[in-house]
Amino acid sequence: MDNLVLEITNAALLTIIIEVPIFYICGYKKASQLLIFAIVNYVSNTLLNDALPAYTATLGYWTKLCIGELLVIAFEYALMLHVISEDKNRLLKTICLTNIISIILGLVLLFNF
């Protein structure tokens, strides 16, 4: 059980390391925005990884992952709207971008490409 918690925590921290700098590069430079985005990412990634079953090369796993990622984007967007109210379209695009890059890098690391 402790190993699973450590794996989920490590995945969440890796997501933060990937996504927060991208969020910054996209123009969100206030420390409060970055901190809240990091916290939101930790929560959303922890929930997603805890909900996913162990990896299997099945269509079911990939379907759950895709649905989970869409829910993560919706969750992060909904929470970040409370912090960033200007240009909602830009915020949504940025959150989509951070998550797409994060999932791609995560898959590269998982499969050691």
Side-chain angles (χ1 to χ4, degrees), residues 2 19 23 33 38 44 46 50-51 55 77 81 86 88 113:
D2 290 334
E19 291 190 23
F23 198 71
Q33 293 172 340
S44 66
T46 301
D50 191 41
Y55 171 73
Y77 178 66
L81 280 174
E86 67 278 350
K88 295 174 183 176
F113 289 122

Side-chain angles (χ1 to χ4, degrees), residues 3 11 17 43-44 47 50 55-58 66 68 77 87 89 95:
N3 193 30
I17 290 168
V43 171
S44 66
L47 290 171
D50 191 41
Y55 171 73
T56 57
T58 64
C66 289
Y77 178 66
D87 203 348
N89 191 39
I95 289 173

Side-chain angles (χ1 to χ4, degrees), residues 16-64:
I16 290 168
I17 290 168
I18 293 168
E19 291 190 23
V20 171
I22 297 167
F23 198 71
Y24 179 86
I25 290 167
C26 288
Y28 299 99
K29 299 186 185 302
K30 292 181 183 175
S32 60
Q33 293 172 340
L34 296 169
L35 177 61
I36 293 169
F37 186 66
I39 293 168
V40 166
N41 261 271
Y42 182 84
V43 171
S44 66
N45 189 273
T46 301
L47 290 171
L48 175 63
N49 285 314
D50 191 41
L52 284 175
Y55 171 73
T56 57
T58 64
L59 180 61
Y61 176 84
W62 291 103
T63 301
K64 289 174 186 174

